[in-house]
């Protein structure tokens, strides 16, 4: 006990000598041991007798080239400890809890007594830097001398204090090399960093979370005295509680860089107008997430432009905070773009969000996106995809789907047949293509359905082949293979549509040539074909034979046909257009070309065209 007190007194004396820039020399230490039986240290150039050394005469001479000097005001190249590979630390794994506690005490004594760190700081570092302590303990051969050996080692070998300090802040040893300051090993040499560290601690931020803040926003640890405290106070002045500011700083340290983040302040203001309390956000912030406040603000503005009222938006955010916070609103842009591309209107998209606010949570959006791509890849029409998405949103977003090629190979089925099956019953999309595992009974039932569908598919293929042979295609020819992919529907459905054209008054061979030129004609339903022919003959006044020259007329949407010919008939009434123009001239050109060659024929054409578009929408 007396020896321990003498040792502590000596460490305090050494601390005083360091402050007076007195050069100390470390003892001669073997590579494999820390047992300092006899030492020699110099003050200046004269050997001095040490009270704990039995005889000066028995000391070995020291090669002056190996002498290591250090002091408090400049860095030294001595005693720097690096972290070992934990997988190689076999000695440490055998050290008892008592030995580990003694090592913590030795490190605490060094930091508090020798280096004069604050008691709380020294205690936290010594108890929360296990990797650093493991490295120290690996140098000890006997557990009976842990305290004495480490005390002597730390007395003569100044360590890089930033290593255990950063580790105690929650950083892993692998993160330290890029964070350690250059030319500094003593924490007291960076008093500004310590000051800002204490500001965060005193504010209430857990010490183990400060490492993340240091790693992501190192600039704030260089603030002059009082600046960091004023920034924390500025966020409280926005109406946030201290607990919320603490959570914000931990999750998004960049908020403390520069002035108060204006986008974040605007988000708080908008949430306030939505009836959401300022501290609501605290419960949903996650330490490992990245928050882009500017993108969140843009997303809120985007919803406002879509026509979402404050009441609905407030309900969305309260029920599903991830709608705002998850990926910082990024998902909504992707999903809205997809839905608009499918043909849904903004109002329909908004209703979809209000009806299924979980649409942006977890993997829902990803699954929905995958289902849309699945249907598009098997050749489903855009309007059909949009219809299924609007009717079966929950179904499509609840499961992840396999690749279409995998399903088609497994079912031994064509894309057209699979497309028809899904259109008839969209629920079969998940049962046939879902990645989720099924029970044995469900798997057996599913396989039974698959074999039944495969048999039915082969029957449909045979009927379709027979139909194409009647049209004049050669069996097993390349033209036949291409036609099988282009014509959609069962053989009897294709025959019904073909007969519809015959009943309209066209010759059999003429219709055969028409569908070879434009196979998509027979992909229209019988009702749609009849409607387009009636519109052509009875409303537009064109003869039936005009469709023979341009069979693609039957492939255009009825909305496009109506819009283009309504404008054309208006121009004809105004005397600005010819009496009769080919169908292809009006329908096949782009909108820009139609405006240039038709709409602009009359001074009032642009206004009429806009009104027609408005009525059509």
């Amino acid at each position: 006990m007396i020896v321990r007190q003498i040792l502590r007194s000596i460490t305090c004396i050494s601390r005083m000598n360091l402050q007076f820039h007195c050069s100390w020399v470390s003892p001669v230490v073997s590579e494999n041991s820390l047992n300092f039986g006899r030492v020699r240290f110099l003050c200046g150039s004269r050997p001095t007798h040490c009270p704990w050394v039995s005889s000066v005469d028995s000391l070995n001479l020291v090669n002056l080239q190996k002498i290591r000097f250090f002091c408090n005001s400049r860095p030294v190249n001595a005693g720097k400890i690096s972290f070992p590979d934990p997988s190689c630390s076999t000695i440490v794994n055998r050290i008892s809890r008592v030995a580990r506690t003694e090592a913590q005490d030795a490190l605490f004594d060094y930091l508090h007594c020798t280096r004069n760190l604050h008691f709380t700081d020294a205690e936290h570092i010594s108890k929360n830097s296990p990797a650093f302590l493991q490295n120290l303990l690996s140098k000890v051969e006997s557990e009976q001398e842990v305290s004495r050996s480490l005390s002597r080692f730390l007395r003569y070998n100044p360590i890089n204090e930033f290593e255990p300090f950063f580790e105690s802040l929650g950083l892993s040893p692998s993160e330290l090399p890029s964070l350690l300051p250059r030319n500094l090993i003593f924490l007291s040499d960076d008093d500004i960093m310590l000051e800002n560290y204490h500001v965060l601690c005193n504010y209430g931020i857990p010490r183990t979370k400060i490492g993340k803040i240091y790693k992501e926003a190192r600039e704030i640890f260089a603030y002059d005295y009082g600046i960091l405290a004023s920034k924390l106070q500025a966020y409280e002045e926005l109406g946030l509680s201290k607990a919320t500011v603490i959570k914000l700083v931990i999750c998004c340290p960049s908020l403390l860089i520069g002035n108060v983040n204006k986008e974040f302040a605007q988000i708080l203001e908008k949430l306030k107008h939505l009836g959401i309390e300022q501290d609501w956000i605290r419960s949903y912030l996650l330490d490992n997430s990245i928050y882009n406040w500017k993108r969140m603000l843009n997303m809120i503005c985007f919803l406002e432009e879509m026509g979402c009222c404050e009441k609905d938006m407030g309900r969305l955010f309260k029920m599903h905070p991830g709608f705002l916070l998850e990926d910082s609103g990024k998902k909504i842009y992707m999903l809205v773009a997809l839905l608009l591309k499918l043909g849904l209107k903004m109002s329909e998209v908004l209703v979809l969000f209000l009806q299924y606010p979980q649409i942006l949570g977890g993997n829902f959006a990803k699954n929905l996106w995958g289902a849309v791509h699945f249907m598009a890849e098997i050749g489903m029409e855009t309007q059909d995809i949009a219809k299924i998405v609007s009717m079966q949103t929950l179904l499509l977003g609840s499961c992840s789907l396999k690749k279409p090629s995998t399903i088609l190979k497994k079912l031994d089925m064509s894309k057209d047949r699979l497309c028809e099956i899904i259109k008839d019953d969209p629920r079969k999309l998940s049962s046939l293509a879902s990645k989720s595992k099924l029970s044995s009974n469900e798997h057996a039932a599913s396989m039974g359905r698959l074999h039944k569908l495969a048999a039915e598919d082969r029957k449909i293929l045979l009927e379709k082949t027979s139909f194409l042979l009647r049209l004049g295609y050669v069996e097993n020819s390349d033209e036949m293979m291409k036609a099988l992919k282009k014509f959609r529907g069962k053989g009897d459905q294709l025959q019904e549509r073909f007969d519809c054209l015959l009943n309209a008054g066209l010759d059999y061979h003429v219709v055969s040539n028409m569908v070879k030129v434009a196979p998509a004609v027979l992909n229209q339903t019988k009702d749609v074909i009849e409607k387009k022919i009636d519109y052509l003959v009875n409303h537009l006044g064109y003869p039936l034979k005009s469709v023979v020259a341009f069979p693609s007329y039957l492939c255009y949407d009825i909305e496009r046909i109506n819009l283009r010919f309504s404008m054309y008939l208006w121009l004809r009434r105004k005397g600005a257009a010819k009496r009769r123009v080919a169908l292809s001239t009006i329908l096949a050109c782009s909108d820009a070309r139609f405006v240039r060659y038709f709409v602009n024929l009359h001074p009032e054409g642009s206004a009429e065209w806009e009104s027609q578009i408005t009525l059509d929408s």
Side-chain angles (χ1 to χ4, degrees), residues 75-202:
V76 296
N77 189 26
K80 184 175 180 179
I81 295 177
S82 59
F83 293 102
D85 185 353
S87 62
C88 300
S89 185
T90 56
I91 297 178
V92 174
N93 293 333
R94 298 195 300 266
I95 293 179
S96 66
R97 184 181 301 176
V98 174
R100 194 177 301 277
T101 301
E102 290 184 4
Q104 291 177 351
D105 292 340
L107 182 58
F108 169 79
D109 287 341
Y110 169 79
L111 295 174
H112 181 52
C113 298
T114 305
R115 298 297 308 137
N116 202 28
L117 287 184
H118 191 276
F119 181 93
T120 307
D121 294 341
E123 184 179 41
H124 178 77
I125 294 173
S126 64
K127 291 184 177 181
N128 293 277
S129 53
F132 188 85
L133 283 176
Q134 282 185 2
N135 186 69
L136 288 178
L137 288 170
S138 65
K139 301 178 182 296
V140 178
E141 292 184 348
S142 174
E143 290 192 23
Q144 305 300 322
E145 300 182 358
V146 170
S147 179
R148 180 185 301 176
S149 297
L150 289 185
S151 295
R152 289 179 179 178
F153 177 80
L154 293 172
R155 186 181 309 125
Y156 297 109
N157 293 271
I159 61 174
N160 189 334
E161 298 168 10
F162 288 91
E163 292 182 359
F165 173 69
F166 284 148
E167 186 185 359
S168 71
L169 301 186
L171 295 171
S172 65
S174 61
E175 295 175 306
L176 299 189
S178 61
L179 299 176
L180 293 174
R182 295 182 179 180
N183 303 324
L184 290 179
I185 64 171
F186 298 127
L187 287 171
S188 58
D189 286 343
D190 196 348
D191 55 327
I192 291 293
M193 184 273 291
L194 281 180
E195 170 64 21
N196 288 300
Y197 164 67
H198 289 139
V199 169
L200 296 176
C201 292
N202 295 334

Side-chain angles (χ1 to χ4, degrees), residues 463-560:
E463 293 176 352
K464 188 185 292 186
T465 302
S466 300
F467 171 76
L468 294 177
L469 289 173
R470 290 195 296 270
L471 291 183
Y473 285 92
V474 179
E475 189 172 7
N476 296 328
S477 64
D478 292 339
E479 290 77 11
M480 170 71 83
M481 296 299 104
K482 293 178 181 178
L484 287 172
K485 296 179 180 179
K486 293 179 180 179
F487 289 102
R488 297 173 184 172
K490 300 178 181 179
D492 58 342
Q493 292 174 329
L494 295 174
Q495 188 63 55
E496 181 185 46
R497 298 162 191 171
F498 187 88
D499 294 341
C500 178
L501 294 173
L502 295 178
N503 296 333
L506 295 174
D507 182 72
Y508 182 91
H509 295 289
V510 170
V511 176
S512 298
N513 292 330
M514 284 175 56
V515 298
K516 287 181 180 180
V517 173
V521 168
L522 295 188
N523 293 338
Q524 315 288 314
T525 64
K526 175 185 175 182
D527 293 339
V528 171
I529 294 175
E530 290 177 345
K531 185 177 181 180
K532 290 179 180 179
I533 291 177
D534 178 71
Y535 184 82
L536 177 71
V537 177
N538 299 324
H539 185 73
L540 299 180
Y542 279 78
L544 182 60
K545 65 179 181 179
S546 59
V547 80
V548 177
F550 186 59
S552 295
Y553 162 82
L554 297 172
C555 303
Y556 285 98
D557 294 334
I558 193 66
E559 291 79 7
R560 181 187 181 98

Side-chain angles (χ1 to χ4, degrees), residues 295-476:
R295 194 162 62 200
M296 285 189 212
L297 180 63
N298 291 338
M299 191 269 282
I300 295 176
C301 296
F302 180 66
L303 288 176
E304 291 175 342
E305 293 175 359
M306 285 176 60
C308 188
C309 65
E310 292 183 352
K311 181 180 179 181
D312 290 336
M313 198 184 306
R315 181 162 61 90
L316 277 175
F317 294 160
K318 288 179 181 178
M319 292 176 60
H320 296 275
F323 198 86
L324 172 67
L325 299 174
E326 191 172 337
D327 286 341
S328 303
K330 181 180 180 180
K331 287 184 179 179
I332 190 173
Y333 293 110
M334 298 171 59
L335 196 56
V336 169
L338 173 66
L339 296 175
L340 292 179
K341 188 176 181 180
L342 290 176
L344 273 70
K345 298 178 181 178
M346 275 292 191
S347 57
E348 295 173 327
V349 173
L350 182 58
V351 170
L352 196 64
F353 287 161
L354 294 174
Q355 189 174 0
Y356 306 108
Q358 69 271 36
I359 197 170
L360 293 179
N363 292 324
F364 196 100
K366 181 181 179 181
N367 293 339
L368 183 61
W369 187 281
V372 170
H373 280 276
F374 184 100
M375 291 184 284
E377 195 168 335
I378 63 175
M380 188 177 293
E381 297 290 340
T382 303
Q383 59 268 25
D384 293 326
I385 297 176
K387 182 180 178 181
I388 294 176
V389 168
S390 60
M391 294 177 60
Q392 301 291 340
T393 307
L394 285 177
L395 175 68
L396 299 180
S398 60
C399 61
S400 177
L401 303 179
K402 299 177 182 178
K403 293 182 178 180
S405 57
T406 303
I407 302 303
L408 293 172
K409 183 178 180 180
K410 185 176 182 179
L411 299 179
D412 190 20
M413 185 181 294
S414 66
K415 289 184 177 181
D416 293 339
R417 176 54 181 154
L418 181 58
C419 189
E420 292 296 329
I421 291 173
I422 295 173
K423 285 197 294 184
D424 292 341
D425 187 0
R427 292 173 296 180
K428 290 185 177 179
L429 177 60
S430 64
S431 62
L432 295 176
S434 176
K435 289 182 179 179
S436 59
K437 295 183 179 179
L438 303 176
S439 65
S440 58
N441 293 335
E442 291 174 330
H443 179 72
S446 177
M447 291 305 297
R449 288 194 298 269
L450 294 181
H451 289 305
K452 183 178 179 181
L453 288 171
E456 186 179 351
D457 191 45
R458 285 191 289 271
K459 179 181 178 182
I460 291 173
L461 179 62
L462 181 61
E463 293 176 352
K464 188 185 292 186
T465 302
S466 300
F467 171 76
L468 294 177
L469 289 173
R470 290 195 296 270
L471 291 183
Y473 285 92
V474 179
E475 189 172 7
N476 296 328

Side-chain angles (χ1 to χ4, degrees), residues 1-18:
M1 191 67 183
I2 296 175
V3 174
R4 185 178 179 86
Q5 291 177 355
I6 292 174
L7 291 176
R8 289 197 177 186
S9 300
I10 292 173
T11 57
C12 292
I13 294 173
S14 66
R15 167 65 180 166
M16 295 173 61
N17 289 336
L18 287 174

Side-chain angles (χ1 to χ4, degrees), residues 567-580:
M567 186 65 203
Y568 166 69
L569 293 176
W570 182 87
L571 290 169
R572 204 165 67 177
R573 288 195 299 270
K574 295 291 183 178
K578 296 180 180 180
R579 183 68 181 172
R580 182 68 53 83

